[in-house]
């Protein structure tokens, strides 16, 4: 039986190589070995080999299992998709799978759900609780599918071999063929007395509350993987994962740009002219902002570190506040006469400009 070469060795990377390094190593090799550019059969086998290795090492879950168990897979269980991949790329018979029954043990399926967060929850992170429907191991039979007090027995059709052999005569002589046993699905086991609770499946549909932490700084459209909270496995196999699609409610106050937040603050014409302090509501609570006397509309003030935390590392973005100066529109008689008096003092005609056309000036574009 041929031994499978170490996958890291195949790609020429170390065991602690990052996903970027693995991808780069594969690309580099694939460029010279790809069948489109290289017809040498030896190179084509090598191309299959590096592609097989890359398929496994580029998938975090498969890589983890490979690191843990090697190509042979967990003890007492088939390696599932990894072994299948080897078979696909190397035409089977390569690797360590022995002929005989397949184990019934299977990993549970991943489940996909959505979680809707408030804007503040997406910024600071939050513990979430969700009600989900999933397949859980049957309590009645302990997951093996057999009526309590009985257990799965050797398949009568294949006598536990998991495959059925037949002999055909042909012009070339006697040909022996083996096909997977249909009666037991190739597992070599049959359940004669099925569990009433699960009908022999070993799993039942349940509605469960799952809770998990959403890290600070997530964005709309991101997927979170919650390990082991998907469907339970079959016959004691590991549970699948829960994939949580993140949705974020827009904020009334802020627009997020990367890790910075942007908001607009309305300032009265007198405040902008005379200056003063204003309190503004940030995600961290009220903050004092200084408005300098003579502030122009469009001035941007920066509150350092009041933005969104960097996802998965320290530090936060900033909060930028654009000042918008409001021109009053509902003047009382008294206010109007005060403003007219001001215009007079400043030599500014209340309306028009005495027939002298004013000059424009070039605009300044920000950013
Ligand atoms: Zn059951
Ligand atoms: Zn069978």
């Amino acid at each position: 039986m041929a031994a499978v070469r170490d996958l890291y060795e195949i790609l020429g990377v170390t065991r602690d190589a990052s996903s970027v390094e693995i991808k780069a190593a594969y690309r580099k090799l694939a460029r010279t070995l790809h069948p489109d550019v290289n017809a040498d059969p030896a190179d084509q086998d090598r191309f299959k080999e590096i592609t097989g290795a890359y398929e496994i090492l580029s998938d975090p879950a498969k890589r983890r299992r490979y690191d843990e168990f090697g190509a042979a897979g967990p003890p007492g269980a088939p390696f599932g998709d990894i072994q299948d991949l080897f078979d696909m790329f190397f035409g089977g018979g390569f690797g360590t799978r022995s002929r005989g029954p397949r184990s019934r043990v299977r990993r549970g399926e991943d489940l996909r759900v959505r979680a809707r967060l408030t804007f503040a929850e997406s910024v600071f992170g939050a513990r979430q609780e969700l009600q989900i429907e999933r397949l859980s191991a049957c309590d009645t039979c302990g997951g093996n599918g057999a009526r309590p007090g009985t257990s799965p027995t050797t398949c009568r059709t294949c006598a536990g071999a998991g495959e059925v052999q037949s002999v055909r005569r042909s012009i070339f002589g006697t040909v022996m063929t083996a096909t997977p046993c249909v009666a037991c699905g190739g597992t070599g086991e049959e359940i004669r007395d099925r569990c009433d609770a699960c009908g022999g499946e070993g799993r039942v549909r349940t509605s469960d509350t799952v809770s998990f932490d959403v890290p600070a700084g997530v964005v709309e459209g991101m997927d979170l993987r919650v390990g082991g909270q998907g469907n339970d496995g079959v016959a004691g196999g590991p549970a699948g994962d829960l994939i949580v699609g993140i949705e974020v409610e827009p904020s009334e106050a802020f627009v997020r740009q990367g890790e910075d937040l942007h908001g607009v603050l309305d300032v009265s014409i007198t405040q902008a002219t005379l200056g003063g302090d204003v309190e503004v509501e940030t995600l961290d609570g009220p903050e004092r902002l200084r408005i300098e006397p003579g502030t122009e509309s469009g001035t941007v003030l920066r509150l350092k570190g009041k933005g969104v935390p960097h996802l998965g590392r320290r530090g936060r973005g900033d909060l930028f506040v654009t000042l918008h100066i409001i021109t009053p529109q509902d003047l009382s008689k008294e206010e109007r006469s005060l403003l007219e008096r001001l215009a007079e003092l400043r030599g500014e005609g209340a309306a028009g400009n005495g027939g002298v056309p004013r000059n424009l000036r070039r605009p300044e574009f920000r950013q």
Side-chain angles (χ1 to χ4, degrees):
M1 195 176 298
V4 178
R5 274 179 68 201
D6 180 73
L7 299 186
Y8 293 96
E9 202 182 299
I10 290 172
L11 291 180
V13 294
T14 57
R15 289 192 85 81
D16 57 0
S18 69
S19 57
V20 176
E21 288 167 336
I22 287 170
K23 191 173 188 175
Y26 170 69
R27 285 235 176 116
K28 198 170 162 215
L29 291 167
R31 227 175 282 137
T32 54
L33 297 170
H34 196 281
D36 289 351
V37 295
N38 198 317
D40 186 330
D43 281 345
Q44 283 185 26
D45 285 347
R46 175 101 175 97
F47 179 72
K48 282 184 193 167
E49 194 181 38
I50 63 161
T51 304
Y54 179 66
E55 290 281 340
I56 291 162
L57 296 185
S58 62
D59 181 313
K62 288 176 187 166
R63 182 178 176 184
R64 222 179 305 121
R65 271 192 286 167
Y66 174 75
D67 287 344
E68 203 171 339
F69 302 114
F79 212 26
D81 40 6
I82 294 195
Q83 188 62 52
D84 291 344
L85 260 167
F86 268 102
D87 291 349
M88 195 172 103
F89 282 105
F90 305 126
F94 192 88
T96 50
R97 175 191 278 192
S98 57
R99 292 176 86 82
R102 305 171 25 192
S103 166
R104 288 173 57 220
V105 177
R106 247 192 313 124
R107 179 180 182 272
E109 300 82 2
D110 289 343
L111 292 178
R112 176 167 270 282
V113 293
R114 289 168 186 278
R116 190 159 177 83
L117 307 177
T118 64
F119 191 76
E121 285 174 331
S122 76
V123 170
F124 294 121
R127 185 138 190 96
Q128 289 287 303
E129 280 203 346
L130 289 177
Q131 191 76 17
I132 62 160
E133 296 269 309
R134 65 175 165 188
L135 294 173
S136 302
C138 174
D139 286 336
T140 308
C141 62
N144 72 10
R147 187 189 296 274
T150 72
S151 49
T153 51
T154 304
C155 172
R156 285 166 293 182
T157 307
C158 64
E163 57 190 18
V164 183
Q165 298 199 333
S166 56
V167 179
R168 273 192 306 124
R169 286 187 190 287
S170 76
I171 51 167
F172 304 112
T174 308
V175 180
M176 184 92 102
T177 56
T179 49
C181 173
V182 180
C184 62
T187 63
E189 284 186 342
E190 94 182 297
I191 298 166
R192 289 193 211 183
D193 276 317
R194 288 176 187 275
C195 165
D196 287 331
C198 64
E201 220 269 337
R203 300 189 293 180
V204 289
R205 188 159 288 280
T206 54
S207 179
D208 299 321
T209 305
V210 293
S211 46
F212 52 91
D213 288 314
V214 176
V218 293
V219 285
E220 169 87 27
M222 197 174 256
D223 281 343
L224 282 185
R225 184 176 282 269
V226 184
Q229 298 285 2
N231 284 340
D232 274 343
V234 174
D241 297 336
L242 185 67
I243 317 285
V244 183
I246 296 292
E247 291 177 3
V248 180
E249 281 170 22
S251 159
E252 293 283 315
F254 307 105
V255 166
R256 177 173 171 175
Q257 236 172 26
E259 273 131 17
D260 292 330
L261 294 176
H262 296 263
V264 173
L265 177 67
D266 288 337
V267 178
S268 73
I269 202 159
T270 48
Q271 270 178 324
T273 312
L274 303 172
D277 288 351
V278 241
E279 291 239 308
V280 293
E281 200 61 64
T282 72
L283 289 173
D284 300 82
E287 284 283 330
R288 192 171 288 274
L289 267 189
R290 161 134 303 180
I291 312 285
E292 296 296 334
T295 292
E296 303 231 30
S297 203
T299 299
V300 179
L301 302 180
R302 174 176 176 186
L303 288 164
K304 255 187 104 72
K306 299 294 175 193
V308 181
H310 304 307
L311 185 62
R313 57 191 173 89
R314 288 159 60 92
R316 289 176 67 177
D318 302 329
L319 167 60
F320 293 92
V321 178
T322 303
L323 303 181
H324 174 68
I325 294 167
I326 302 290
T327 307
Q329 296 184 328
D330 49 357
L331 294 178
S332 67
K333 238 180 157 170
E334 191 187 357
E335 288 166 343
R336 186 174 174 86
S337 67
L338 278 170
L339 281 172
E340 281 169 351
R341 175 74 183 127
L342 178 65
E344 218 174 81
L345 283 172
R346 294 181 60 84
E348 300 160 350
N353 49 355
V356 185
R358 289 194 203 168
N359 292 326
L360 301 179
R361 62 179 174 81
R362 292 163 61 91
E364 286 166 34
F365 293 105
R366 288 175 199 280
Q367 282 148 16

